């Protein structure tokens, strides 16, 4: 509101009177001079105006009315009466300007938020779909720039606060601002639809980003735990040089993790963090087990040395067993055992040599070497134990079949008959796939029994044949049960 408008508003409206000039000031500004001085109790007689003064007063009345009437009709304190249509157009233009400004701000905010989403996707995903999203967003950005420039041009072209604003200018400003607002709204709608289409890609990217910080932190904590475990082991007197080397190799990986995903990418950083966590956890686990592992190796050294000494004693008992086999049975029953004493002695000698090497590796704290050597010793002693035991077992079985071969025969025939009953269960005729092997087993057993006739039967051949028949029957039974669903 201008100073003149405030002045007019401050002056109350008065009806027009030809004697107004004699009753109150002729201009509203006169109201600012303060209250009139107190009128004297007795009226003062004034001289009668002359005829010339009367004529001048009548001539000045139209001019006085022209000055007073606009102020009188403005009563209420608004803009000048003759500017009503311009002020309406100004108000509508201002409203259009405010609406366009709101649309511009809303579009700018949406674009900023969407740019964050695009950056989230590109930080994680390098697929063709992600690259297409970037190009589509750039195209939308160009449309946003065009719509924004249209709005800024419309705002700069018209000064809606100017006092003397023509109605036509206000109407033109309103039209341009409404058009700018509508264009901003259309672009905003396209931007919203584009944002909705990003749902799957954005969800996947946010999931990976949510995993990133915890994964990197887990890797750091895993490395710290491995380092602490290694320090604890070294304080106990164990060197653990191999574990220290493995932990040192993870140093460059930690450096890359500290540089962040911005340099190496989110997927690569996630994979690196998981690998570092996994390898550091393995180092920590082995370091924590190292004292136990050292104690275990010490125990195995003592145990295997004791076992080697026992096998040395047992190997000396093989020769008497072989002598009895040679004296009582045919050569086919013991020829394959001829070299057991020599082989047992050689195996024990090699085992003792490996035990010495394992002891040396243990003292040097070369744990993998010590464990490998002890595994070799164990294998040599197992082989020796089986060979030495085989001689005694051979004599025991040959004694049993020589005394009563019928027990072995009955055992084998029972297995064949049990398989035949199973094959015929629920059938009137046997399945050739089962009947054939079972019939062959019966014939093979008969041939084995026939070898027992004579002065010096081959009992070992008889035992191996009956064992082979029982194995064939067992395979047929397993096949039948499999076909019948485990019956």
């Amino acid at each position: 509101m201008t100073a003149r408008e405030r002045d007019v508003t401050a002056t109350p409206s008065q009806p027009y009177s030809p004697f107004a000039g004699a009753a109150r000031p002729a201009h509203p500004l006169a109201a600012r001079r303060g209250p009139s001085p107190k009128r004297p109790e007795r009226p003062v007689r004034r001289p009668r105006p002359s005829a010339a003064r009367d004529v001048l007063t009548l001539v000045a009345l139209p001019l006085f009315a022209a000055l007073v009437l606009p102020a009188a009709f403005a009563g209420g304190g608004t803009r000048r009466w003759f500017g009503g249509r311009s002020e309406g157009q100004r108000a509508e233009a201002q409203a259009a300007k405010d609406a366009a400004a709101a649309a511009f701000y809303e579009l700018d905010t949406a674009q900023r938020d969407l740019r964050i989403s695009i950056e989230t996707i590109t930080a994680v995903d390098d697929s063709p779909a992600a690259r297409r999203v970037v190009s589509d967003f750039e195209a939308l950005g160009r449309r946003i720039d065009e719509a924004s420039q249209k709005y800024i041009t419309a705002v700069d072209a018209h000064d809606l606060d100017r006092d003397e604003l023509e109605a036509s200018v206000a109407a033109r400003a309103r039209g341009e601002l409404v058009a700018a607002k509508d264009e901003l709204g259309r672009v905003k709608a396209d931007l919203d639809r584009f944002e909705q289409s990003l749902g799957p890609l954005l969800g996947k990217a946010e999931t990976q980003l949510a995993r990133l910080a915890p994964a990197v932190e887990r890797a750091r904590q895993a490395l710290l735990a491995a380092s602490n475990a290694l320090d604890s082991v070294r304080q106990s007197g164990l060197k653990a040089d191999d574990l220290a080397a493995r932990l040192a190799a993870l140093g460059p990986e930690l450096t890359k993790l500290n540089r962040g995903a911005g340099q190496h990418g989110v997927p690569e950083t996630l994979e690196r963090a998981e690998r570092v966590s996994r390898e550091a956890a393995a180092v920590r686990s082995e370091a924590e087990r190292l004292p136990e592992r050292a104690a275990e190796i010490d125990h195995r050294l003592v145990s295997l040395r004791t076992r080697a000494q026992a096998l040395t004693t047992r190997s000396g008992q093989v020769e008497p067993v072989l002598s009895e086999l040679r004296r009582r049975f045919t050569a086919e029953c013991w020829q394959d055992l001829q070299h057991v004493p020599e082989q047992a002695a050689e195996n024990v000698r090699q085992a003792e040599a490996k035990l010495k090497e394992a002891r040396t590796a243990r003292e040097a704290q070369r744990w993998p070497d010590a464990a490998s050597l002890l595994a070799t010793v164990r294998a040599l002693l197992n082989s020796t134990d089986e060979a030495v035991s085989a001689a005694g077992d051979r004599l025991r079985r040959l004694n049993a079949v020589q005394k009563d071969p019928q027990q072995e025969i009955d055992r084998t025939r029972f297995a064949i008959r049990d398989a035949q009953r199973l094959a015929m269960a629920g059938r009137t005729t046997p399945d050739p796939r089962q009947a054939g092997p079972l019939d062959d087993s019966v014939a093979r057993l008969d041939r084995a029994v026939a070898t027992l006739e004579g002065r010096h039967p081959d009992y070992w051949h008889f035992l191996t044949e009956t064992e082979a028949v029982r194995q064939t029957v067992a395979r047929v039974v397993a096949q039948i049960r499999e076909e019948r669903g485990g019956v």
Side-chain angles (χ1 to χ4, degrees):
M1 182 180 294
T2 62
R4 181 176 181 182
E5 290 170 340
R6 287 194 299 268
D7 293 340
V8 173
T9 304
T11 306
S13 175
Q14 299 292 340
Y16 171 74
S17 170
F19 301 100
R24 61 182 53 83
H27 195 274
L29 292 177
R32 298 186 179 183
R33 297 174 183 175
S36 302
K38 186 175 180 182
R39 186 175 294 183
E41 296 179 359
R42 297 181 62 184
V44 179
R45 181 180 297 273
R46 298 181 180 182
R48 179 183 178 86
S50 63
R53 184 176 180 180
D54 291 340
V55 172
L56 290 174
T57 300
L58 293 176
V59 171
L61 280 176
L63 179 59
F64 177 79
L67 295 174
V68 174
L69 281 177
F73 282 100
T78 60
R79 289 182 178 271
R80 292 171 302 165
W81 183 63
F82 290 107
R85 184 170 180 274
S86 297
E87 293 306 314
Q89 293 288 353
R90 184 199 300 269
E92 293 179 359
Q94 187 62 48
K97 180 179 178 181
D98 294 342
F104 174 79
Y105 177 77
E106 184 178 1
L107 178 60
D108 182 70
T109 302
Q111 184 186 20
R112 292 175 184 272
D113 294 342
L114 187 56
R115 180 175 287 109
I116 296 175
S117 300
I118 298 297
E119 292 174 353
T120 300
I121 293 174
T122 55
V124 175
D125 195 350
D126 192 30
S127 64
R131 292 194 293 270
R132 185 166 57 252
V133 162
V134 174
S135 62
D136 292 345
F137 180 69
E138 291 175 352
L140 275 173
R142 290 189 290 271
R143 287 192 57 196
I144 292 172
D145 292 342
E146 294 173 0
S148 300
Q149 185 59 44
K150 183 177 181 181
Y151 159 73
I152 294 171
T153 301
V155 171
D156 293 343
H158 305 288
D159 183 9
L160 300 181
D161 295 329
R162 184 162 52 88
D163 288 341
E164 301 298 333
L165 182 66
E166 296 82 357
S168 61
V169 175
R172 184 167 61 254
R174 174 183 175 277
E176 293 177 2
L177 290 168
V178 168
K181 189 250 318 177
D182 293 342
E183 180 62 21
L184 291 171
R186 284 190 292 270
V187 177
K188 174 63 167 53
D190 293 342
L191 197 67
D192 291 341
R193 284 191 292 271
F194 177 70
E195 183 178 13
Q196 292 175 1
S197 68
L198 299 181
L201 287 175
L202 184 59
K204 178 182 176 182
E206 289 176 343
T207 300
Q208 290 195 354
L209 285 176
R211 292 171 48 202
L212 181 62
V216 172
E217 183 61 24
R218 283 195 301 271
R220 293 194 183 106
Q221 294 300 322
L223 285 171
L224 179 60
S227 177
N228 292 336
L230 197 57
D231 291 341
S232 177
V233 165
R234 285 172 166 173
Q235 290 174 2
S236 66
L238 300 175
K239 293 188 295 186
D241 293 338
D242 57 331
L243 296 179
R246 287 167 57 185
L247 187 61
L250 297 176
E253 298 297 313
L254 179 61
T255 302
K256 293 178 181 179
L257 286 177
N258 291 333
R259 290 174 181 170
Q263 182 172 354
H264 299 287
V266 173
E268 293 79 3
T269 303
L270 276 174
E271 192 276 334
R272 179 175 291 108
E274 292 173 356
R275 185 176 67 254
V276 169
S277 297
R278 188 168 55 251
E279 295 178 2
V283 171
R284 175 189 176 184
S285 177
E286 293 185 30
E288 291 175 345
R289 283 191 63 251
L290 196 54
E292 179 184 352
R293 187 180 183 185
E296 179 184 353
I297 288 178
D298 291 340
H299 174 74
R300 290 175 64 189
L301 280 168
V302 174
S303 175
L304 291 174
R305 181 173 296 279
T306 302
R307 187 180 177 191
Q309 293 172 353
L311 279 174
T312 301
T313 302
R314 288 181 60 198
S315 299
Q317 299 172 359
V318 174
E319 190 59 42
V321 172
L322 288 176
S323 296
E324 186 173 355
L325 287 172
R326 295 189 191 102
R327 185 177 68 252
R328 296 175 51 198
F329 300 97
T330 60
E332 290 80 2
C333 295
W334 50 264
Q335 273 185 337
D336 58 321
L337 300 176
Q338 271 297 94
H339 303 290
V340 168
E342 295 83 359
Q343 188 64 45
E346 178 63 20
N347 287 348
V348 171
R349 186 190 65 76
Q350 292 182 10
E352 290 178 344
K354 295 295 182 182
L355 279 173
K356 291 181 181 179
E357 294 180 16
R359 172 64 65 180
T360 303
R362 161 64 182 90
E363 292 174 353
Q365 297 189 19
R366 291 184 285 109
W367 311 111
D369 293 342
S372 176
L373 289 167
L374 289 176
T376 302
V377 171
R378 185 183 184 88
L380 287 170
L381 296 181
N382 286 341
S383 176
T384 305
D385 194 4
E386 292 175 0
V388 171
S389 299
D393 183 66
R394 178 78 58 87
L395 179 59
R396 180 186 58 79
R397 293 181 65 186
L398 289 174
N399 285 335
V401 72
Q402 184 185 42
K403 182 178 180 181
D404 184 13
Q406 191 60 44
Q407 185 177 357
E408 185 73 10
I409 296 171
D410 293 342
R411 178 187 175 193
T412 307
R413 288 194 189 281
F414 176 80
I416 295 173
R417 288 169 185 167
D418 188 58
Q420 289 173 336
R421 283 193 298 268
L422 181 63
M424 291 300 297
R427 304 177 63 94
T428 57
T429 57
D431 188 333
R433 292 177 301 170
Q434 289 98 38
L438 293 178
D439 292 343
D440 292 341
S441 297
V442 173
R444 188 174 183 181
L445 176 61
D446 292 339
R447 288 193 298 269
V449 172
T451 62
L452 296 178
E453 299 175 359
R455 185 175 180 181
H456 297 289
D458 187 352
Y459 290 109
W460 184 241
H461 174 74
F462 169 74
L463 288 174
T464 55
E465 280 294 291
T466 55
E467 180 66 26
V469 168
R470 287 194 297 269
Q471 291 178 358
T472 301
V473 171
R475 286 194 295 269
V476 173
V477 171
Q479 180 183 2
I480 294 174
R481 289 178 175 174
E482 183 179 357
E483 292 177 353
R484 297 182 183 180
V487 177

